[in-house]
Amino acid sequence: MEIGIVGLGRMGAGIARRLMRDGHTSVVYDLSAEAVAALVKDGARGAASIAQLAAQLSPPRVIWIMLPAGDITDRAVTEAGAALSAGDVIIDGGNTFYKDDVRRAKALAAKGVRYVDIGTSGGIFGLQRGFCMMVGGEKDAVAHIDPILKSLAPGIGSVPRTERAADADARAEQGYIHAGPAGAGHFVKMIHNGIEYGLMQAYAEGFDILARKNSDVLPEDERYDLNLADIAEVWRRGSVVSSWLLDLSAAALAKDGNLDAFTGAVSDSGEGRWTLDAAMEEATPAPVLAAALFTRYRSRVDHTFGERLLSAMRHSFGGHVEVKR
């Protein structure tokens, strides 16, 4: 199948290469001429603009946009929409806010251009492992791009198969689903990323407790100098808390047991905030996900004014003094 890909960052380039590896034709565009040249070297056809990319495709044309959420993706979708015709398909495979998908789908429908949103998980490992995809859009548009999805998905692999109903959608165990209409794919991926925040925070807090077990504030006979790399590794083997996130943690600890290469100022890319917005709209409790997001905010400051005020109040009512580090 022929596909145009706009945005050749780590995931966009991985998507193009995985598709070409499976026999698809990729026409690629990026603001970086070097990124385009690298894909052309691997067998893609290059373009100097989105309009030029669209002109190289045969109808019904498919353009996959893989750019950061926000204005840059909005502009690319608008530009692609102007270059396409009725029956063509625009895919947004980034981490777009799902309400933007609903708006774009309505705008493009006036021209007959079909819009598909794909929440794409797999990161820099997707080229080798495959991409887990949550898809939103009209049924016919999703069916049209199924060969692309099948090539990008990880497949059943070595994961034990779940006993499912006979009429269950077979695509799910291949690594992709049609979640629903426009926006549904990115909504499911948004919640996926919110859960990821909570899982990562649970690991972080657990290992923090392990790391501090040798603290001089503890009785000497209750202090343990624990090997965190070994603990992470043994938990990978048959433990109920084993996961890919733990695999990555074990690899990081094996390389640098103190994680000295990192400051601990943890960024967030928006999906955690949007997840909590959705929880508020639904009045759905999500205390773990909220705490995980707020902890990321907290990681970016040393001490806040509010914390100084807390110390001042404790000193005022009880004569409590701050512990000196």
Side-chain angles (χ1 to χ4, degrees):
M1 189 169 179
E2 195 177 54
I3 184 172
I5 298 176
V6 176
L8 303 176
R10 289 172 296 183
M11 287 186 70
I15 286 169
R17 289 190 171 98
R18 188 171 174 90
L19 288 174
M20 289 189 295
R21 191 172 70 185
D22 209 33
H24 299 279
T25 299
S26 293
V27 183
V28 299
Y29 168 68
D30 192 279
L31 288 175
S32 167
E34 292 80 7
V36 173
L39 265 295
V40 169
K41 186 177 179 181
D42 287 346
R45 299 204 307 263
S49 68
I50 293 177
Q52 189 183 99
L53 179 148
Q56 294 190 49
L57 299 171
S58 301
R61 295 170 288 183
V62 178
I63 295 179
W64 183 307
I65 295 170
M66 200 68 184
L67 295 169
D71 290 343
I72 186 171
T73 295
D74 258 337
R75 290 194 297 270
V77 169
T78 299
E79 192 173 342
L84 296 178
S85 305
D88 294 338
V89 178
I90 293 176
I91 300 169
D92 176 8
N95 280 327
T96 285
F97 184 45
Y98 76 100
K99 293 184 180 181
D100 290 337
D101 294 315
V102 176
R103 168 178 56 80
R104 292 177 191 158
K106 289 178 181 178
L108 290 166
K111 189 178 179 180
V113 175
R114 299 174 290 177
Y115 180 85
V116 174
D117 55 285
I118 301 182
T120 312
S121 182
I124 60 176
F125 296 92
L127 174 58
Q128 288 78 33
R129 292 168 55 105
F131 296 92
C132 172
M133 293 168 291
M134 297 132 270
V135 185
E138 297 175 4
K139 188 174 181 178
D140 65 330
V142 176
H144 178 67
I145 64 170
D146 190 73
I148 291 169
L149 303 176
K150 190 174 296 184
S151 292
L152 291 175
I156 294 175
S158 61
V159 177
R161 301 184 73 171
T162 304
E163 187 174 333
R164 289 160 53 84
D167 60 349
D169 190 338
R171 293 173 294 185
E173 66 174 4
Q174 295 294 329
Y176 65 105
I177 59 167
H178 181 197
H186 278 146
F187 183 80
V188 174
K189 176 58 161 54
M190 179 184 80
I191 304 305
H192 164 284
N193 284 23
I195 292 171
E196 179 185 301
Y197 280 39
L199 292 172
M200 293 173 71
Q201 186 60 33
Y203 282 124
E205 291 179 11
F207 276 93
D208 212 9
I209 297 168
L210 294 169
R212 293 170 182 265
K213 189 54 179 168
N214 203 29
S215 170
D216 58 10
V217 304
L218 298 172
E220 190 170 353
D221 60 354
E222 295 179 10
R223 300 176 197 170
Y224 307 138
D225 185 13
L226 301 170
N227 187 314
L228 303 188
D230 283 354
I231 292 170
E233 187 62 32
V234 75
W235 283 355
R236 295 180 63 219
R237 315 289 172 174
S239 165
V240 72
V241 299
S242 61
S243 72
W244 187 38
L245 289 172
L246 183 61
D247 294 345
L248 298 174
S249 299
L253 289 166
K255 183 178 180 180
D256 175 9
N258 292 321
L259 302 179
D260 292 326
F262 302 93
T263 65
V266 187
S267 300
D268 72 286
S269 52
E271 297 89 345
R273 306 181 191 203
W274 299 337
T275 295
L276 292 186
D277 286 343
M280 294 293 288
E281 290 175 354
E282 300 169 8
T284 300
V288 171
L289 306 190
L293 177 62
F294 294 152
T295 300
R296 292 196 179 197
Y297 296 163
R298 179 64 186 84
S299 75
R300 301 170 204 164
V301 293
D302 290 328
H303 286 294
T304 66
F305 178 83
E307 287 167 336
R308 296 200 299 274
L309 180 59
L310 286 173
S311 286
M313 287 188 285
R314 293 187 75 248
H315 183 268
S316 297
F317 71 66
H320 303 292
V321 296
E322 295 179 324
V323 176
K324 301 299 180 183
R325 291 187 176 182

